[in-house]
Amino acid sequence: MKKIIFIALASLFCLPHGEVKAQSVAIDFSQYEGSQITNSDFEDWSGSEFDNVPVGWHSFESVELGTPSWLYSSAQSDQHTSSVDINLHEGTTGGYCLKLIPRNIAGLALANGTITTGRMHAGSTTPSSTNNHAQMDMSVEDKSNGTPYYAVLTNRPDSIAVWVKFISNDSATISAIITDGTYYQDPENKTYTNVYAKAKNAEIVSNNGVWQRISVPFTIQDENITPKGILVTISTNATPGAGNEKDVLYIDDLELIYTQTADFSASPFLTFTNVAAKNHKVVMPKGLIGYTLGVGADGNLCVVDTYLEGDVIPYQASLLLVGEPEKTYTFSTTLYENATEPTQNEDGRLVPATELNEPLDGYSYFYLANSTDGPLFEPATKGLKIENTKALMRVKKDNAAESYNQIIIAADPVGDINADGGVTIADVTSLVNRLLGKDSGEFIVPSADVNGDGTVTIADVTALVNILLGKTN
């Protein structure tokens, strides 16, 4: 038994959706280009050149030398090794972490234990010189251990987080710089204009030698820069050449964090794209309804899937949200291993707003106009200023209308209390238990209001039984 609903009003009212309890799941740090850094859990040590260097990361083994090679030769071994720490941090599922130690250079100086996604350059015998740095240039094709001297990043994270275990009386450091992919070095030797954002913590202390999670927010330098790569550098000491040979820095499970919110204006309608990494679970907050859209046989926009409070939003899914005007909703984001894919309709579907930068041939694009009367989709052109967390409607040109101001929703079956896709005696039991307080779950929208009077009472149990008996009015 289906209801056909047309969204054309400024506000919608519904009963709350059933609560989904928190789950304890294994972390999957599989990498997805553009959102996370390759091998950021330091589990892959299969490099063909240096078996003591994690894949995707680089150090003195592949240093670009600007000073006599003998000076750094003794710094190139055993500065970083895979380590099975007896007490890996809480929540990890891998068996390895990175062990980073300093190295005495021929009895003349101490080289900080350093690892980077870029390439190490040694150009001075003075440790503090900017000629000693990590560098990144995505136009350079050189590789080490089978991976380039850069890490691809096309998304815009809010912070970088990493687990560390530091044994030292000094301070360790981590820095991350998001750029447009052209040349950049850390520390800087000039003012660079190709930087989107920076994150740095040069005050990582021992914390009694126990594991701690360090989180560093990104500070935007130029929001007009399009992210293409990230340079991450971690060192056993914040001061070049300082520290002690006995210093040890364990590093594990580095990740880029994406915090997502939906900020409504005067309209109760908003488009939203899940830009979190594939190994993150993004959950619908209370008070919001989300819809993925498609194009029906009649050429109108129609709902493909509905997402309610507690539902996990599929990886890179784009939704039409319905919420309260002038309100901000925050999406819960946690590490997750069971990433799902959204249902797709290639005749027409909501897509990330960034697709307008490189639109597909044969399709027309529509953006959600600021309308309080209903979700109005107007034609969009390349160059339209729209946030990367928003979405566009992409429709095949042969099917595209001039605009869209009506969306057809096929609602869930009334009486499907347990949301198993059908109405059976099990739904009667579930409804009775909830009314008696024997089930803490909340009611499914709009299934529990069987008689449609706006409330859920024993009368709905009677109405549900009548449905099963075929005695509908």
Side-chain angles (χ1 to χ4, degrees), residues 36-40 42 53-59 62 98 114-120 133-138 140 142-144 147-153 160 174-179 184 186 229-234 254 256:
Q36 290 291 329
I37 297 169
T38 297
N39 197 27
S40 60
F42 304 102
V53 181
V55 170
W57 297 82
H58 310 285
S59 189
S62 54
L98 171 68
T114 303
I115 199 83
T116 179
T117 57
R119 186 172 196 178
M120 298 292 294
H133 57 257
Q135 63 189 40
M136 180 186 76
D137 186 347
M138 295 179 71
V140 176
D142 292 348
K143 294 183 178 181
S144 175
T147 53
Y149 293 106
Y150 58 80
V152 173
L153 180 70
I160 185 169
I174 177 174
S175 69
I177 300 92
I178 302 172
T179 77
Y184 179 85
D186 181 21
I230 183 170
L231 178 65
V232 178
T233 307
I234 306 173
L254 180 147
L256 299 171

Side-chain angles (χ1 to χ4, degrees), residues 2-170:
K2 296 276 187 179
K3 289 184 178 178
I4 303 299
I5 304 174
F6 294 88
I7 298 184
L9 302 174
S11 61
L12 300 175
F13 302 93
C14 59
L15 295 168
H17 178 255
E19 181 182 1
V20 175
K21 301 298 183 183
Q23 304 176 61
S24 176
V25 297
I27 298 174
D28 174 11
F29 272 94
S30 300
Q31 303 309 318
Y32 302 91
E33 187 174 76
S35 60
Q36 290 291 329
I37 297 169
T38 297
N39 197 27
S40 60
D41 57 353
F42 304 102
E43 293 297 323
D44 186 357
W45 297 79
S46 63
S48 58
E49 295 175 79
F50 309 112
D51 59 6
N52 66 326
V53 181
V55 170
W57 297 82
H58 310 285
S59 189
F60 287 107
E61 280 77 2
S62 54
V63 65
E64 180 182 72
L65 292 171
T67 56
S69 60
W70 65 266
L71 187 61
Y72 287 89
S73 61
S74 63
Q76 295 182 28
S77 61
D78 298 332
Q79 276 205 300
H80 30 74
T81 60
S82 59
S83 176
V84 181
D85 193 340
I86 295 175
N87 297 305
L88 286 174
H89 71 84
E90 180 183 359
T92 189
T93 58
Y96 296 95
C97 62
L98 171 68
K99 179 183 179 182
L100 199 60
I101 58 175
R103 187 80 174 180
N104 190 301
I105 303 178
L108 300 176
L110 192 69
N112 302 143
T114 303
I115 199 83
T116 179
T117 57
R119 186 172 196 178
M120 298 292 294
H121 177 91
S124 173
T125 57
T126 303
S128 60
S129 172
T130 58
N131 285 328
N132 300 322
H133 57 257
Q135 63 189 40
M136 180 186 76
D137 186 347
M138 295 179 71
S139 67
V140 176
E141 297 181 357
D142 292 348
K143 294 183 178 181
S144 175
N145 254 9
T147 53
Y149 293 106
Y150 58 80
V152 173
L153 180 70
T154 55
N155 283 332
R156 300 171 187 259
D158 297 290
S159 62
I160 185 169
V162 63
W163 282 90
V164 299
K165 180 178 179 180
F166 190 34
I167 302 171
S168 174
N169 293 322
D170 264 317

Side-chain angles (χ1 to χ4, degrees), residues 269-272 293 301 319-320 349-353 356 364-371 374-387 390-395 401-405 407:
F269 305 101
L270 186 70
T271 58
F272 173 82
L293 303 181
L301 297 190
L319 309 178
L320 171 67
R349 53 182 280 210
L350 283 169
V351 296
L356 197 60
S364 297
Y365 290 82
F366 299 82
Y367 74 99
L368 180 65
N370 187 19
S371 171
L376 172 63
F377 282 88
E378 296 279 20
T381 57
K382 187 174 182 178
L384 174 73
K385 295 293 184 181
I386 183 170
E387 298 173 36
K390 299 292 181 65
L392 296 169
M393 191 67 206
R394 186 182 75 195
V395 182
E402 293 184 2
S403 62
Y404 294 93
N405 60 3
I407 299 172

